[in-house]
Amino acid sequence: MKRRTAIKVVALSTLSSIPAAGQGFRVLGVAWDAGEYRLRFFTGQENELLDKLMEMIIPADAHSPGAQEARVSLFADLMVATSGDHVKEQWRKGLRLMREEAARSSLAGALAKAAAGEKRKPSSDLERFFTALKGMTVDGYYTSAIGIHQDLQYQGNTYLASFPGCQFPKLAD
Amino acid sequence: MKLYDVCIIGSGAAGGVMAKELSEGGAKVILLEAGQEVDPSQFLSHKWPYQLPYRGLRGEKQALFYPKDIAPVRYEHCDPVGVDRIRVLGGRTLHWNAVTLRYAARDFRQGLLDGVDEDWPLSYAELEPYYDRIEQIIGVCGNDDHLEILPGGKHYLPPLPWRCSEHILGRTLKKLGIPLIDVRKALNTRPYDNRPPCHYCGHCMDGCDAAAIFTTPDCMLPKARATGNFTLRTNAIAREIRADREGQARAVSFVDRLTKKEEEVRARIFVVCCATVESARLLLNSRSPQHPAGLGNSNGVIGRYLHGHLGGGMHIYLAELEGVKPFNQDGATDHTYIPRYNQLFGKADYAGGWGIQVNFASYMFPYQAHDMAGYGPAFKERVRKMQPGFLFFGSFGKILARPDNYVTVDPNQVDEYGIPVPVVRFRFGRNDYALWRALKQSMLEIASNLKGTSFPHFGNSPGGFGSHEVGTIRMGKNPKTSALNSFCQSRDVKNLFVTDGSCFTASSEKNPTLTILALSLRAADYIKEQRRRGEL
């Protein structure tokens, strides 16, 4: 792992000090080595668009924050920046296609058009990009502290003295 | 130069038990391991995804077990199969789910009973005492379920309690006439072997920091060290085994990964335990005038009959658990197992069967979010509500052992240590496809009887091995189609033994590790007896 990408684990108690998007930040239980994450692949404009799209895929609701607060676009930046040229090209082109489509209708319309291929085999670059975009959003959100703890309220990854088995008498034999 | 009694190459399941047994038997033993020793304090088992550089999606948790200087396998003319490249002290015992299943009597006689593969040169009755012994050495939880297809032992640790999803599954399977049993796992469910019990964190596959799962470093090596007869060399990459004028194994040459120096170890007996592909690679790279096709390869069998497991998985989200308040379901990954059942429903038009491991996936990640169409608020809510009902099937089915599936080496392509790389050629056969189709259909039928949403992951064709590859240096009755006798001893080279999965004559649907351990234990007894008699 390169020094620039190294991260230091910090206590979850730092969650309360998440600053606004686009600034230097501590994200979701990790602190980036440089103290702030600088975009490595996406431009600021691309990141802004990506941030909006990801929030539309997994939005904040009454139950939990969404992809934006979980900083999923920055996770995407790291993953794409450390991928091969083909992947980088797909993301750059995909965001451009999204922007062009949004200019013709709206961002919501562009996302709906891109998602249309989800129930069949994607047949255009825009539809294929949606597959990558949604997959990255899912990966980034549900591996973030917000996704794991606040949204799913996952109870595991702990030390138990014994395993209780099924605690619903109606379901257990 | 020091002359050891025994040099063992590879520290996985086979090498670990061999080192313990022979050291305890009074032999001066040296164990060579290509990888490093990783202290459990370095394991990342309990790290949260967001504490890892790439959220754990690029194998960060196991990165120490898979060093980057390991040469890649070259796959040529190959169906989608993968072979394991772990290089760490303990081998795959550090990165396994610890499911330990005995082969059935019929699994050793598939040539006679099913007309496929060859019969093993030993029977279940001959191996049974070693199954009994090894289960007591490593500690296995579960039950003797009195099944002909999955023989049981008498000394199991308490079984794991079932989750709600497993109770639901059990009731459904009962209606279909399919058994669901307590999983048998090399896992402490109470203190055993001076090791603590499981703490139910669900990280069996990430390295068990508590030593509740059997591993070579936690279970075998302390006993070997206690004898004063045992020497360990880690970071030692075996290049070749050298033969003397009579063609017997004399020394192993290796490269120290840290110093890059070439070194040599001399011994009276050599036991190769590098795993299926690497063991074949080592012997094929060990060419000499006495062994021009590789050590112990006068009949050209070494490398051939590569096989293992095929499979497919399924995520199911049970309706009965949808929307309940999230609760901790991690446990010890598998708590139950569906033993082979197709033999209960009449004769099939293919040979062999499959077993299904249940719930060995992590409960932390909502896999359905990748499988479900949609996005937005409704999508997010649906993912969340489905999550408590997660149930996972992972099947392992038999692949036939065929000589035209093989490992070879390419002298024109070497790794960074100058050692020719292994080349794998593998194609599924007609029986494999037929079995895979039946497996798929059956799992879909089971899922259709469960109330909930299922997401099958079979692809369009079988995928193979799942770290269960076997068979490249096989034992057998027929000297023309096997390299080893029933004690894992080379037919050509009396002081050469191979006791890892490569020694399998044929596979069944069962996970191979317990049989590897039992065969290695039996070979160790044989070596001790031959040494006592002065034969080795």
Side-chain angles (χ1 to χ4, degrees):
Chain A
M1 185 168 61
K2 290 180 181 174
R3 177 75 177 159
R4 285 179 63 195
T5 61
I7 57 173
K8 287 188 293 190
V9 176
V10 297
L12 283 172
S13 58
T14 59
L15 278 173
S16 59
S17 62
I18 296 173
Q23 299 176 12
F25 62 92
R26 284 181 176 174
V27 169
L28 315 177
V30 302
W32 296 87
D33 187 70
E36 61 180 54
Y37 183 82
R38 297 177 195 284
L39 291 171
R40 298 175 60 184
F41 176 73
F42 296 122
T43 64
Q45 195 181 28
E46 285 172 331
N47 182 58
E48 193 179 332
L49 174 60
L50 186 58
D51 194 38
K52 286 178 184 169
L53 289 167
M54 288 179 150
E55 178 68 11
M56 290 164 76
I57 292 171
I58 302 184
D61 58 15
H63 178 81
S64 62
Q68 191 169 61
E69 193 166 330
R71 307 293 196 270
V72 180
S73 71
L74 301 182
F75 163 75
D77 182 72
L78 177 67
M79 296 300 276
V80 176
T82 50
S83 295
D85 290 343
H86 175 74
V87 172
K88 288 176 178 160
E89 190 181 328
Q90 185 193 23
W91 280 85
R92 181 133 286 148
K93 184 178 177 183
L95 287 172
R96 180 171 52 77
L97 291 172
M98 278 288 186
R99 183 174 292 110
E100 290 168 0
E101 189 59 40
R104 282 191 283 273
S105 55
S106 64
L107 195 55
L111 192 62
K113 185 173 181 181
E118 206 183 13
K119 290 182 179 173
R120 49 173 168 77
K121 192 176 178 184
S123 59
S124 68
D125 285 344
L126 188 70
E127 289 180 355
R128 280 185 283 274
F129 175 65
F130 179 81
T131 304
L133 174 65
K134 182 178 167 185
M136 185 72 83
T137 310
V138 163
D139 280 342
Y141 182 76
Y142 291 111
T143 56
S144 72
I146 284 174
I148 292 169
H149 303 298
Q150 293 189 54
D151 187 67
L152 295 176
Q153 299 184 3
Y154 169 70
Q155 301 295 307
N157 192 25
T158 185
Y159 293 81
L160 299 178
S162 62
F163 188 76
C166 184
Q167 295 299 291
F168 296 91
K170 283 185 182 174
L171 297 180
D173 280 330
Chain B
M1 183 186 290
K2 183 168 180 177
L3 177 66
Y4 290 91
D5 292 321
V6 182
C7 175
I8 301 165
I9 308 163
S11 68
V17 67
M18 184 64 69
K20 169 194 170 292
E21 288 294 313
L22 296 184
S23 299
E24 289 179 343
K28 295 295 181 189
V29 172
I30 184 167
L31 174 62
L32 304 183
E33 166 53 50
Q36 62 182 328
E37 181 167 6
V38 179
D39 188 89
S41 64
Q42 295 174 271
F43 290 172
L44 301 174
S45 322
H46 284 264
K47 294 287 184 199
W48 295 97
Y50 49 79
Q51 294 175 320
L52 298 165
Y54 304 103
R55 310 282 178 92
L57 298 170
R58 292 183 177 169
E60 298 104 294
K61 278 198 175 180
Q62 294 88 21
L64 289 169
F65 309 159
Y66 294 89
K68 288 182 177 170
D69 56 339
I70 300 306
V73 172
R74 203 172 85 215
Y75 297 93
E76 278 187 3
H77 312 297
C78 230
D79 283 334
V81 296
V83 296
D84 205 313
R85 305 294 288 158
I86 196 163
R87 290 286 182 91
V88 66
L89 183 66
R92 288 182 207 172
T93 66
L94 256 68
H95 187 190
W96 76 316
N97 216 25
V99 172
T100 43
L101 306 172
R102 295 182 179 205
Y103 270 34
R106 64 186 291 166
D107 294 330
F108 296 92
R109 304 172 65 213
Q110 293 171 90
L112 184 68
L113 296 176
D114 298 327
V116 298
D117 285 336
E118 288 180 32
D119 287 352
W120 288 59
L122 79 171
S123 65
Y124 175 77
E126 288 171 280
L127 201 55
E128 185 177 26
Y130 297 95
Y131 278 134
D132 287 340
R133 265 174 64 193
I134 198 66
E135 284 173 347
Q136 288 180 75
I137 292 171
I138 66 178
V140 175
C141 67
N143 274 318
D144 177 0
D145 302 281
H146 307 289
L147 297 171
E148 178 272 339
I149 200 66
L150 186 62
K154 300 278 181 275
H155 303 283
Y156 291 123
L157 301 172
L160 290 153
W162 290 15
R163 303 174 179 92
C164 298
S165 62
E166 288 146 357
H167 283 285
I168 294 168
L169 174 63
R171 282 194 291 273
T172 300
L173 290 175
K174 196 172 182 181
K175 288 178 194 163
L176 297 172
I178 298 171
L180 179 70
I181 64 170
D182 293 305
V183 73
R184 297 181 200 162
K185 247 177 109 137
L187 172 84
N188 285 359
T189 46
R190 63 170 172 78
Y192 187 78
D193 184 38
N194 291 319
R195 293 180 285 121
C198 177
H199 57 258
Y200 308 104
C201 69
H203 294 302
C204 300
M205 293 289 281
D206 300 327
C208 181
D209 55 347
I213 274 187
F214 158 75
T215 68
T216 287
D218 291 326
C219 179
M220 298 300 186
L221 299 190
K223 299 175 180 75
R225 287 186 175 112
T227 65
N229 293 326
F230 177 69
T231 303
L232 173 66
R233 278 295 300 265
T234 52
N235 295 303
I237 299 184
R239 177 184 297 284
E240 63 175 323
I241 299 174
R242 292 176 177 153
D244 61 20
R245 287 180 188 167
E246 285 73 44
Q248 295 302 293
R250 173 181 68 79
V252 58
S253 67
F254 67 94
V255 189
D256 187 304
R257 279 178 68 218
L258 305 179
T259 66
K260 312 291 184 194
K261 275 187 179 173
E262 297 279 342
E263 298 187 46
E264 187 177 270
V265 167
R266 291 178 58 214
R268 293 186 175 89
I269 299 167
F270 292 83
V271 187
V272 175
C273 307
C274 312
T276 294
V277 170
E278 285 298 319
S279 287
R281 178 194 187 195
L282 177 61
L283 296 190
L284 292 171
N285 279 331
S286 302
R287 292 166 197 254
S288 63
Q290 294 83 358
H291 300 283
L295 192 64
N297 194 28
S298 63
N299 61 6
V301 162
I302 291 180
R304 294 193 177 275
Y305 299 97
L306 170 67
H307 65 295
H309 278 158
L310 56 78
M314 188 180 292
H315 298 146
I316 302 163
Y317 294 85
L318 298 169
E320 287 163 277
L321 288 164
E322 185 166 325
V324 305
K325 188 179 176 188
F327 57 104
N328 184 353
Q329 303 197 61
D330 282 349
T333 59
D334 314 50
H335 288 202
T336 57
Y337 178 72
I338 305 174
R340 177 180 168 181
Y341 54 87
N342 64 338
Q343 80 286 355
L344 302 173
F345 300 96
K347 192 159 176 61
D349 60 354
Y350 56 87
W354 60 89
I356 301 175
Q357 284 186 227
V358 180
N359 285 338
F360 69 85
S362 169
Y363 281 81
M364 193 185 295
F365 190 85
Y367 306 97
Q368 72 276 25
H370 276 304
D371 291 319
M372 285 163 49
Y375 62 90
F379 170 81
K380 183 186 176 197
E381 184 181 6
R382 181 101 178 98
V383 168
R384 182 170 67 239
K385 290 196 167 172
M386 287 172 82
Q387 184 66 0
F390 180 52
L391 173 68
F392 176 65
F393 289 166
S395 60
F396 288 116
K398 174 185 171 63
I399 293 174
L400 294 194
R402 296 190 289 122
D404 46 345
N405 286 327
Y406 61 95
V407 177
T408 186
V409 291
D410 182 357
N412 298 313
Q413 184 185 348
V414 296
D415 64 16
E416 69 176 82
Y417 303 99
I419 304 172
V421 302
V423 181
V424 168
R425 293 184 176 88
F426 181 89
R427 293 283 190 204
F428 290 108
R430 187 178 299 172
N431 194 81
D432 307 328
Y433 277 103
L435 186 146
W436 179 73
R437 283 192 293 270
L439 174 164
K440 188 166 75 165
Q441 187 180 351
S442 178
M443 282 174 61
L444 290 169
E445 186 186 342
I446 292 171
S448 72
N449 280 274
L450 290 161
K451 288 179 194 163
T453 309
S454 57
F455 300 101
H457 293 273
F458 291 107
N460 297 320
S461 62
F465 297 167
S467 296
H468 294 177
E469 60 268 21
V470 293
T472 53
I473 311 171
R474 63 193 326 218
M475 61 168 67
K477 291 178 178 173
N478 184 345
K480 290 182 181 172
T481 58
S482 62
L484 310 173
N485 66 21
S486 72
F487 295 100
C488 302
Q489 183 179 31
S490 166
R491 293 188 189 285
D492 294 346
V493 184
K494 190 178 161 187
N495 67 340
L496 175 69
F497 292 78
V498 182
T499 69
D500 58 34
S502 56
C503 76
F504 279 37
T505 309
S507 72
S508 79
E509 78 288 352
K510 282 104 177 168
N511 305 34
T513 303
L514 188 70
T515 300
I516 291 171
L517 284 159
L519 290 168
S520 197
L521 183 59
R522 184 170 182 265
D525 270 11
Y526 177 78
I527 291 171
K528 282 190 272 187
E529 178 61 17
Q530 293 292 301
R531 272 173 43 80
R532 192 183 63 76
R533 291 184 181 185
E535 297 286 331
L536 283 172

